[in-house]
Each structure stands twice: as C-alpha cells, then as structure tokens.
Amino acid sequence: MRFAILWLAACVLSAAEHRGQVNFGGLPVPGATVTAIQGDKRFTAITDSGGGYVFRDLPDGTWTIEVNMLCFCPLRRELAVAPGAAAAEWNLKLLPFDEIRAMSGPAPAAPVPAKAVAPAVSKAVKPAEPRRGFQRADLNASGGAGHVADDTTAAMPGDLSRSASDSFSVNGSVNTSGFSPFAQSQAFGNARRGAQSLYNAALGVTLNNSALDAQSFSLTGQRTPKPAYNRLQGSASLGGPVRIPRLALGNSLNFFAGYQWMRSRNASTNSSRMPTPAERGGEVGSGAFDPAGGAPFPNGVVPASRISPQAQSLLRYYPLPNFDPGARYNYQVPLLGVSDQDSVQTRLSKSFGRKNQVFGSFAWQRASTDSVSVFDFRDASRETGLDVSINWSHRFSQRVFSIFKYEYSRLSTRVTPFFSNRLNVSGEAGITANNQDAVNWGPPSLTFASGMAGLTDKPQSFTRNQTGSTSTDNYWNRGDHNLKFGGEIRRQQFNLLAQQDARGSFAFTGAAAGSDFAGFLLGVPDTSSIAFGNADKYFRTSSIAAYLTDDWRISPALTVNAGLRWEYGSPITELYGRLVNLDIAPGFAAIAPVVSRDPVGPLTGRKYDESLVRPDKSGIEPRVGIAWRPVPASSLVIRAGYGINRNTSVYQSIATQMAQQSPLSKSLRVQNGPGNPLTLANGFTGSTSGPSNTFAIDPDFRVGYAQTWQVSVQRDLPGGLVATATYLGIKGTRAMQEFLPNTFPAGAPTLCAACPSGYSYLTSNGNSTRQSGQAQVRRRLRSGLTASLQYTYSKSIDNGALGGKEQGGAVIAQNWLDLHAERGLSPFDQRHLLAFQTQYTTGMGIRGGTLLSGWRGVLFKDWTLATQITAGSGRPLTPVCLTAVRGTGVTGSIRPQYTGAPLYDAPAGLSLNPAAYQAPPPGQWGNAGRSSITGPAQFNLDASLGRSFPFRDRGSIDLRLDAANALNNVTFPSWNTIVTSAQFGLPVIANAMRSVRANLRVRF
C-alpha cells in the first residue's frame, strides 16, 4: 500500500511549457517583448534571432500573452497553456508612418495611439479566412460565425502603453531596475551566463494500464472478466539551426523533427442476444405460422425438417448464450482490439536576405488496427498517409507581403475482413447470386427486428485519396485598414476499390412467418438487398476559392472586420464516366437509368453533364464582425457577427452511391411477397417492376449553406470576475432530404399502380434552425485559483440534414407526400448544457503558501489540480418500427403509433415504456414524431494533477496524472428505440468508465 501511494504521488506531478513564434511579413522578428499575464503573475521573454520565444514553467491554465515591439501594433491574446499544446504564432502589423515618426520626437504624454489598441473582433466572424483541407459547415455551438480575429483582443489603452514602454527600455539603450528580469545585464560579473545550446529537444511517454482503469459497466449485471491491456505512447522531438561544414549558413536555416508512436490495446464489453439451444431447435413461440399456408406451427415449434440448410449453416457462427437464456441480453464477452501508430513530422525554413523566406514541411503516418466483433470476427485495417507542403514568403515593401503555398497529401486505407481469402461462407451455406470472389468471402448481413444479434462483418475495401492545392495569401496595410486577400485552387482524387454490399443483406421483420427468427429458420427473409460490380472507381473533383477581408480600425472604441469569400466545388465525376442516375418523368410516373456517358435522358430529353448533377456556382459567403466599447475607459465590450458557410463536402458520399447502380452494377433492394418470393438460397435474384436502381438524386441538387449570427456582451465584475452573455442563431438552407417515391402505408390504396418504386430520391429542399443563449462567468487567476462556469440553453430543429457536425447523413422520410412531418428536433440538440472548469496551483499568494520554504515548500508548492465537469440533458431519439416499406426493401423509416400510455413510466429495468407504442393501423403511417424521445442525461468529471521539475538552465521534467470519468459514474449515450426489439428501452452501450493515464515528459 505504501509503495502504491508513493507511485501515484510520483505520477501526478506536472507542468506546462508555452512556445511561440513572432513574425512580420513571414520573416522572424528578434527582440520583441513577450509577456505572460495571469492575475498578479507576470513573466517576460525576448524573442531570439529566429523570432522564437519560450516560457518553460507556466502553470496549466489560461494566460494573457502580450507581444510588443517598437514601431508595431501591440498584440494581445488569451491562450490555454497545457502540455502538448501547439505553439502560438504571432504576425505583427506595422504602425502607420505618422505614428512611427511621432515616436522619434518627445515622448508623448498620452498612452499608445488609440488606433493601436482598438478592440478587435473576438468571438465574431473572421471574414473570408482561407481554408485548408476538407471543409464543411459545422452547426455546433460556436457556429460558422465563431471565427476569431487572431492576435487582437479588446484591452485597456493604459496596459498596452506600459507594455510598449517596457519593450523600448529592454530592447533599446535603457536598462532600468524597474524590470527585474533585466535589472542587471547578464554580460557582467557573476550574472554572466555560459553559452547555451541552440537546439531544443523533448522526450515524452504516456502509460495507461488495465490495472489503473475501472471495470467496464455491465448492461446485464453479469460480471465479465476484464482483459489485461496496456496503452503506451511515446514522443521525441529535436529542433534548431542546421550546421553544414564549410558552408556559412548562420542561423538562417532551421529545422524541426518529431516522432510519435503508440502501441495500444483497447478493451470493451459487448452485450447482445444470441439464439438459445431451444430456438435453434425450432422453438420460436406461439405467434409463428407457416408462410406456405398461414397455419400456426403446433406448440410454436418449427419442424426440424423445415429448417433450411442455409440457416443451419449460418447458425454455426452464432455462439451460445453464456448466462440466462431468457434474458433480454443473454450473451456478454470482453472484446480486445489492437491499434498501433507511428508518425513523423519535419519542418525546414531558410531566409534569403530581408525579403524572402522559404519554409516547408513533411509529415508521414502509419496506422494499424485489428478490431474484433462479438462473433469473434477479427478484421484488419491498415492506413498510410503523407503530407508535403512548401511555402515562399516575399515582402514587397514594409506594408505589402505575400505567401505562396503548394501542398500535396495522400492517404491510403486497406480493410481486410476476417473471411477474406479464407472461407467462402455464402458458398458453403448454399447462398447464391451474391459476389463470391475470394476477397469478398464472408456471411451475408442478417438483421432481426426482435433484437437478436445481427450477423455482419466489414466489407473489403482499398482507398487511395490524394489532394494537390496551390494557394496565396496577401497582406496590405493601408492607413486604418489591414487588407488580406488571396485564393486557392484544389484538385482531389478519391480512388476506391470496393463493393457497396457484395455479400448482400437480409432483414427478418416477422411479416413472412409471424416471428423474425422463425422466418430465418425457414429460410424466408422479408427483404433483401445487394450491390456489387464496377468495383474500381476513380472519382475526380476540383474546387476554387477567392477571398477579401478588411480589418478596419475605425476608432479607439470600434473595430470592423468585414469580407467576402467565393467558393466553388464541382460535382464529382468518374474518370471513365461510370456514374448512374435516374431520368425521372414528371410526377415520378416513370424512370430510366442515365449513365454519365449518355448526353440526353431517354424520358425527359434533358441534357446531363458528366457528373449528372448541375454545378452550383453561387458560393458567395459574406462575413462581417464588429467589436465596440460603448463606454470609454469601461470594460464593457459588445461583439457581433454574421457569416455564411457552405457545405461543399456532400458530393463524395453521393458519387459513391451513384457508382454502384444498374446497369453498370448489380443493385437490388426488394421485399418478399407473392409476386417476388425470397429465400436465403435465392434471395438476390428477385425482380422489380422496372429498373433495379436503388438511389437517385435531383439533377438540380444544390449545396447546403448555413447563415450564422451572434451577439455577445462582456464586462468585468468585482472580485476578478468576467461575465459574458452570448446569443447565437443558425439558419440552415438547402438541407438534404431523402424519400421513397410512390410508397404508401400497408393497407392503403396505391394511387399509381404502374408507377415505379423501390428507390430512394435525394433532394436539397430541407432546412434547419438553431437558437442558443449562453451565460459565462470566469474568475481570473488569483492566489493560484482560476475557474469558469458556463451554461447554454439551445434548441435545434430541422427536416433534413446539412451533413455537418454530429448530423450524419440524410434520413429517409416516412411519408414522401408529407415531408413537413419530418420536422423535429435535430439529432445533436441538447437543451441544457452546463460546463464548469477549475484549476488550482499550490504555493501561490500570501495565504496560499508562497512564503513557505524548506522541505515543506519543496513538497507543497507548484502542484496543479484541474477539474472539468460537464452535465447536460439527453439528446433526441426516434422510435422506429423495423418493418419494410411496402413495395421496397427499405426498413427503419416507419415510425410507430402512440397508444397514450406514458412513455417514461417504464417497468422495472427499462427506461422507456413499451406499452406507449404499437404498430401503425392499416392504411396509416405512424403518428410518433421524429426525434420525439429524449435520451439519457449526460454527466462527466475529468481531473488531472501534475507538477514540473526544472533542472539545469533550460530543462524540465513534467509529470502528470489524468483521470477521465474520475468519479466512475455510469451514463449511457442512447437507448434502444426499435419498438419491435426485446431490448426496447434498454441502453445500447455504456459510456467509458474511469480511465487513468500517467504522463512523463523531459525537455532539454
């Protein structure tokens, strides 16, 4: 016990280091003064010849960083200091010439000119910022208008004036005793320091062991052994100037190299329901009947002679229950996955004279993951990626400079399923008409409405994606205006070798035999679907963007940041013209396939281009933000902003579906019926009334966009408090909507018997809205304590999906003639969210032990304890009847009927009342609304404790202990909402229990 206590005490030590780079026009700025402020603590550093600075012993938390340099506008920003945080980058802006000339005269009595300290746009829109990588319109709490203007925050003029004077005294010829770090030049006497190394290095390791983690929560109450595992992460870095013998480079050629590696074993507990020995023998319950004549089976038992050989063959892959066979979950096992990763980053920079600098980077990553399913199928995933960029910065004058960049990235991923090239499961079972190439060997996917575990395995795939982009960013200072403008051209390739559904899928809803498992034993599925052929696909797309933004300092109390961005992303094409859409007659009366090589649709005579979707070039995105201090010399600051963000990333998933369609591929999605009987042996040979295509898109599909507006008010309060109130609104337009034309409820008359059905149709006519209010109170660091409390009240509604953050893909509507009925709470809607963060560092302040000395001071001081508590209401869930939509093979879009019973008045052991829902009446759709169930509430507490031990002149040892879910509190992300499932109202899975990580980092 004593050893454990000492070991834990050693692991909880920690600290943080903050680094940064100060540039002007892309060139490093030596001699700039950088000040870190947190309450009554101030630390000062001077940038070196390469423009870099470092604070080695800053406690974790939020610090105000100021950068001051004679003849330049002071910069100020609040940054979070924590181990592993990215280095800050500062871009100085030159003061107007009249103000620079004024500095050469008598010292002004007033503070720094007001134009240099005007508040800028913080928590408002940063207009027309150049984008990197794959972008989309995220509809999170901060929204598209949440871009912050870098390096500028509203500040008191007196503070910045004093900082500017400090920097002049330190960097100029005056050295006074008022600045303790520079009270005596260290080039004299005993204060003289030896030569320091120009190189910086760091080594780090993070350990997470099963002995430190809590047992995974058991949904069944059964105790499942916790497997032993380790997670080990390491890192190493080295940076400094490049020295080449006989070549005088000075310190103008600098490099950085970093390497990270991870060896991880991930454990989880999976709960499911497996068929019992009695069910395997045919005991399926009293509701089962013979599909041939409709007569019930005697005693609810399917005769052994009627059990299909295909079902018997597939049952071999189902394990037996390992506890109570009659429980809702009767099988629980631990699953252990393996994940390894290696990554390398290098950077190199070289200055040429005063006007040019070239800098580039190279990054490489390799990842390997082996995952295991509840059926003990072990699938392998291998990933390799690289990213190369080269930049050239050129300064035309003191007020104008440009940066030109070229970047190339490539990512390849190969997924190898368990049975690939190992065992032909479908062939052995006697299942035909699916793809049985060796790489696609494996079982077909099975889905059961009653909650039986669905048999499935990952599909084989090999993707190779690459992107090449060229961009330029230009900066021009003119009077009160700081203009920034530029553009980007990007070319992307998505090369895919995979089948969408090569093995096929069967769904058992109970419609054919009164019981889903009885239908399985009899070999009679209720729906089947398959899509394979045209395996290799070579998608191509281009995008172009241009932007202009102006940071206009109108007055000392008002700053406007306004701009305009135009962005166009072309619809995706296939290199060999192998995309398929449907040419649809008015009123969805007839359909005919259209291949991207076909110039004209056979039904409408409409012309189609190569992508089969009309380009949307209306990508204009205005953005504006303001910061206003209405009362002089007051801390009151009002910020507001408006912006538009477009979702240009929707085309890739659409092209993938279009490439796996008839006549280029075999695509099928059908329902069992008298005119189209299905069996496990011949379930993929069903017929349809027309083309067998399963997907189509509106040729006039438009890219969705979100309008975001925001207003915030911030003011200082007594006691070192800062209060902020924020309103955020988001309006989404052109959201994706997907529906099934010519479908009607079971028992309802068909309005057009000859009209084709069975395919889903994607349009862009949806919309969404989100309103939120946020209140925050933050305590500045004082006597070692800082904290913040934030509450958010919000509501988000939509009838589609923009495809943004946490929204997922499109949702198939229940009633294609009433898309307004799909309007409901968004899947990510969280009505209440409370976040509390606090940090305390020992040995700060008179009462906090700052005067404590000796061995007591050594043990007590500089410990940093941080906690973060998050509590929120549940997110919406949708009740579902897992039955097929009539005339299609689609399941999961029909919702149940309310009975009037209280939904949350649930029986013991359940969170939802099964009696609240029933199957829809004949001829009607279910009246239960989309997202009409409120999911489980969320709560989490994370904590960390650490300390830093400095050694020598520039070295330190950082030790920290992090605990996720430190209270080991049980929460669930969602409940099962399939009303036909035995697990309805039960949790699907539990959130992770307590996990502890020990971190060690050495810097020198």
Side-chain angles (χ1 to χ4, degrees):
M1 181 66 181
R2 183 176 302 173
F3 173 80
I5 294 175
L6 292 175
W7 186 86
L8 287 174
C11 291
V12 298
L13 307 177
S14 168
E17 176 184 275
H18 171 69
R19 293 174 178 269
Q21 176 72 30
V22 180
N23 297 319
F24 172 70
L27 300 177
V29 178
T33 301
V34 184
T35 307
I37 306 171
Q38 191 182 64
D40 55 356
K41 298 184 64 176
R42 293 177 69 95
F43 298 94
T44 304
I46 304 296
T47 57
D48 58 21
S49 58
Y53 68 89
V54 59
F55 294 100
R56 299 194 176 278
D57 301 317
L58 292 185
D60 292 357
T62 301
W63 287 78
T64 300
I65 308 297
E66 294 181 353
V67 179
N68 293 277
M69 184 68 180
L70 191 65
C71 301
F72 292 90
C73 295
L75 302 180
R76 182 169 179 164
R77 193 195 312 171
E78 288 191 356
L79 298 175
V81 176
E89 184 173 344
W90 306 81
N91 295 299
L92 293 176
K93 299 176 182 179
L94 200 66
L95 287 171
F97 283 146
D98 55 347
E99 297 180 12
I100 297 176
R101 285 193 297 267
M103 291 182 181
S104 61
V112 169
K115 295 178 181 179
V117 298
V121 182
S122 178
K123 294 188 177 179
V125 180
K126 185 177 182 180
E129 193 67 21
R131 299 184 179 179
R132 296 290 182 267
F134 216 47
Q135 297 290 325
R136 64 185 182 182
D138 290 345
L139 299 183
N140 54 7
S142 61
H147 302 283
V148 179
D150 289 344
D151 303 344
T152 49
T153 301
M156 296 299 294
D159 295 340
L160 293 181
S161 175
R162 183 172 58 253
S163 298
S165 301
D166 294 352
S167 65
F168 179 80
S169 297
V170 171
N171 298 318
S173 58
V174 179
N175 192 343
T176 71
S177 59
F179 309 99
S180 58
F182 314 98
Q184 180 179 355
S185 174
Q186 298 190 13
F188 296 93
N190 295 330
R192 183 181 181 90
R193 303 170 65 179
Q196 297 185 12
S197 173
L198 297 176
Y199 298 92
N200 296 307
L203 297 173
V205 63
T206 301
L207 173 64
N208 181 209
N209 187 274
S210 57
L212 303 177
D213 291 352
Q215 175 82 27
S216 297
F217 181 76
S218 172
L219 296 179
T220 65
Q222 303 294 318
R223 183 171 180 83
T224 300
K226 182 174 68 171
Y229 58 85
N230 292 287
R231 302 189 189 102
L232 190 62
Q233 296 176 258
S235 63
S237 63
L238 177 66
V242 176
R243 302 293 192 182
I244 301 177
R246 300 183 180 179
L247 186 60
L249 294 176
N251 293 331
S252 63
L253 180 60
N254 293 273
F255 80 98
F256 170 83
Y259 170 65
Q260 298 84 36
W261 58 273
M262 179 186 68
R263 302 295 180 264
S264 176
R265 305 297 182 264
N266 304 298
S268 62
T269 299
N270 185 282
S271 303
S272 57
R273 185 176 184 273
M274 297 296 176
T276 66
E279 290 172 329
R280 296 166 187 258
E283 297 183 15
V284 293
S286 58
F289 56 82
D290 190 346
F297 288 110
N299 300 319
V301 178
V302 176
S305 60
R306 296 289 304 278
I307 298 178
S308 72
Q310 291 78 28
Q312 291 177 338
S313 180
L314 295 177
L315 275 174
R316 295 182 301 165
Y317 301 99
Y318 277 86
L320 290 171
N322 55 10
F323 56 93
D324 182 10
R328 298 174 186 268
Y329 289 117
N330 60 15
Y331 184 74
Q332 185 169 286
V333 290
L335 304 178
L336 187 64
V338 179
S339 179
D340 298 338
Q341 181 175 310
D342 297 274
S343 58
V344 176
Q345 307 86 34
T346 61
R347 294 193 296 269
L348 196 66
S349 63
K350 177 70 172 73
S351 299
F352 297 91
R354 296 184 177 181
K355 292 188 175 183
N356 295 281
Q357 183 184 30
V358 176
F359 48 99
S361 65
F362 172 84
W364 174 87
Q365 177 176 300
R366 179 204 65 84
S368 171
T369 303
D370 294 334
S371 59
V372 60
S373 73
V374 69
F375 298 97
D376 202 27
F377 300 160
R378 299 180 178 273
D379 302 323
S381 176
R382 305 292 182 263
E383 181 180 288
T384 304
L386 64 87
D387 184 277
V388 181
S389 68
I390 184 169
N391 303 262
W392 170 41
S393 173
H394 178 73
R395 184 176 62 188
F396 295 93
S397 68
Q398 293 291 338
R399 292 180 176 269
V400 181
F401 69 93
S402 299
I403 299 177
F404 304 92
K405 178 180 180 179
Y406 174 78
E407 184 174 10
Y408 171 82
S409 62
R410 179 181 176 88
L411 177 67
S412 64
T413 305
R414 184 186 296 273
V415 177
T416 305
F418 180 67
F419 291 101
S420 183
N421 296 296
R422 176 181 297 181
L423 179 63
N424 188 355
V425 177
S426 294
E428 286 193 352
I431 299 172
T432 61
N434 58 357
N435 185 284
Q436 296 185 15
D437 293 341
V439 294
N440 293 315
W441 280 350
S445 296
L446 306 180
T447 302
F448 296 92
S450 65
M452 193 75 70
L455 187 67
T456 185
D457 196 19
K458 289 183 178 180
Q460 186 275 341
S461 66
F462 181 38
T463 60
R464 294 148 297 158
N465 301 335
Q466 66 181 43
T467 301
S469 65
T470 302
S471 63
T472 177
D473 298 318
N474 305 277
Y475 304 84
W476 180 23
N477 170 257
R478 181 177 176 83
D480 297 332
H481 299 267
N482 290 299
L483 297 174
K484 185 178 180 181
F485 56 93
E488 180 184 42
I489 299 176
R490 184 188 308 147
R491 180 66 176 171
Q492 293 178 290
Q493 298 184 13
F494 307 104
N495 304 304
L496 176 63
L497 179 62
Q499 307 284 7
Q500 186 174 326
D501 189 8
R503 308 186 201 104
S505 302
F506 294 112
F508 299 89
T509 65
S515 163
D516 59 349
F517 197 71
F520 169 69
L521 293 178
L522 295 167
V524 183
D526 294 291
T527 68
S528 70
S529 63
I530 196 168
F532 71 90
N534 190 29
D536 56 326
K537 295 167 273 285
Y538 306 92
F539 300 130
R540 302 291 185 267
T541 183
S542 300
S543 65
I544 184 172
Y547 72 93
L548 169 65
T549 180
D550 181 14
D551 183 16
W552 183 15
R553 311 299 176 92
I554 298 178
S555 70
L558 180 63
T559 297
V560 175
N561 199 320
L564 189 68
R565 179 183 177 89
W566 176 77
E567 184 175 12
Y568 167 68
S570 66
I572 291 180
T573 61
E574 208 275 333
L575 186 61
Y576 300 103
R578 295 177 296 180
L579 296 177
V580 181
N581 199 8
L582 289 177
D583 189 40
I584 300 177
F588 297 93
I591 59 174
V594 180
V595 183
S596 55
R597 296 187 298 264
D598 299 336
V600 178
L603 293 177
T604 62
R606 176 173 181 163
K607 293 184 179 180
Y608 291 92
D609 59 13
E610 192 177 359
S611 66
L612 302 179
V613 178
R614 290 181 58 193
D616 184 0
K617 299 181 180 180
S618 58
I620 298 178
E621 303 174 7
R623 300 173 192 176
V624 61
I626 65 169
W628 177 40
R629 190 187 300 276
V631 181
S634 170
S635 63
L636 179 66
V637 178
I638 299 175
R639 299 178 177 90
Y642 171 83
I644 293 180
N645 293 278
R646 291 167 56 84
N647 179 25
T648 57
S649 63
V650 297
Y651 289 124
Q652 185 177 0
S653 60
I654 294 172
T656 302
Q657 297 182 77
M658 295 174 67
Q660 207 80 64
Q661 298 290 313
S662 175
L664 303 181
S665 302
K666 178 177 181 178
S667 57
L668 193 71
R669 190 171 60 189
V670 295
Q671 181 183 15
N672 183 37
N676 188 30
L678 301 177
T679 66
L680 281 175
N682 301 300
F684 304 123
T685 58
S687 61
T688 59
S689 58
S692 60
N693 299 60
T694 61
F695 175 79
I697 182 174
D698 182 2
D700 294 319
F701 183 89
R702 290 290 176 266
V703 172
Y705 63 91
Q707 303 177 71
T708 306
W709 54 94
Q710 176 176 293
V711 177
S712 69
V713 179
Q714 177 180 307
R715 183 180 177 85
D716 292 350
L717 300 177
L721 300 179
V722 180
T724 305
T726 304
Y727 162 74
L728 173 65
I730 303 175
K731 175 66 172 67
T733 307
R734 293 292 187 183
M736 294 186 295
Q737 287 184 315
E738 194 168 352
F739 55 88
L740 303 169
N742 301 314
T743 56
F744 303 93
T750 302
L751 300 180
C752 179
C755 294
S757 62
Y759 65 95
S760 49
Y761 190 68
L762 182 65
T763 66
S764 55
N765 298 322
N767 58 75
S768 65
T769 180
R770 184 179 190 272
Q771 311 290 332
S772 69
Q774 185 180 94
Q776 182 192 69
V777 177
R778 179 171 57 88
R779 184 188 190 273
R780 292 191 174 98
L781 182 67
R782 182 178 180 182
S783 299
L785 177 65
T786 181
S788 67
L789 178 66
Q790 179 175 292
Y791 170 73
T792 303
Y793 178 83
S794 64
K795 186 174 183 180
S796 180
I797 300 175
D798 67 69
N799 62 0
L802 281 173
K805 183 178 181 181
E806 297 181 323
Q807 292 199 86
V811 178
I812 296 180
Q814 177 180 241
N815 185 359
W816 72 290
L817 296 176
D818 186 12
L819 297 181
H820 292 290
E822 299 303 308
R823 192 165 186 83
L825 297 176
S826 302
F828 58 85
D829 178 74
Q830 192 170 28
R831 193 62 47 84
H832 306 278
L833 180 62
L834 183 68
F836 175 70
Q837 297 177 344
T838 182
Q839 177 182 297
Y840 177 68
T841 302
T842 61
M844 296 182 64
I846 300 298
R847 298 181 180 179
T850 188
L851 300 180
L852 196 63
S853 60
W855 65 270
R856 293 182 179 85
V858 173
L859 292 179
F860 176 75
K861 288 183 178 181
D862 298 328
W863 293 89
T864 299
L865 172 65
T867 60
Q868 179 175 342
I869 300 175
T870 303
S873 55
R875 292 182 173 90
L877 304 172
T878 300
V880 172
C881 282
L882 200 63
T883 57
V885 179
R886 188 178 66 171
T888 76
V890 177
T891 60
S893 64
I894 297 179
R895 298 190 288 273
Q897 189 83 2
Y898 280 120
T899 65
L903 175 61
Y904 301 104
D905 187 12
L910 298 178
S911 299
L912 302 174
N913 185 8
Y917 297 113
Q918 64 182 11
Q924 298 181 25
W925 298 111
N927 63 3
R930 171 176 164 261
S931 299
S932 57
I933 298 176
T934 301
Q938 303 296 306
F939 177 85
N940 187 65
L941 186 149
D942 297 335
S944 68
L945 183 64
R947 187 175 175 180
S948 179
F949 295 88
F951 67 91
R952 294 186 178 176
D953 185 43
R954 301 168 58 185
S956 66
I957 299 176
D958 304 333
L959 294 171
R960 192 178 73 254
L961 191 71
D962 296 323
N965 190 7
L967 298 180
N968 204 33
N969 183 63
V970 181
T971 56
F972 309 103
S974 64
W975 295 313
N976 188 312
T977 58
I978 301 176
V979 298
T980 55
S981 172
Q983 293 91 32
F984 176 82
L986 289 178
V988 177
I989 194 174
N991 288 323
M993 305 305 289
R994 182 177 57 240
S995 175
V996 180
R997 295 187 306 171
N999 303 274
L1000 169 66
R1001 186 177 180 88
V1002 180
R1003 312 169 193 264
F1004 54 93

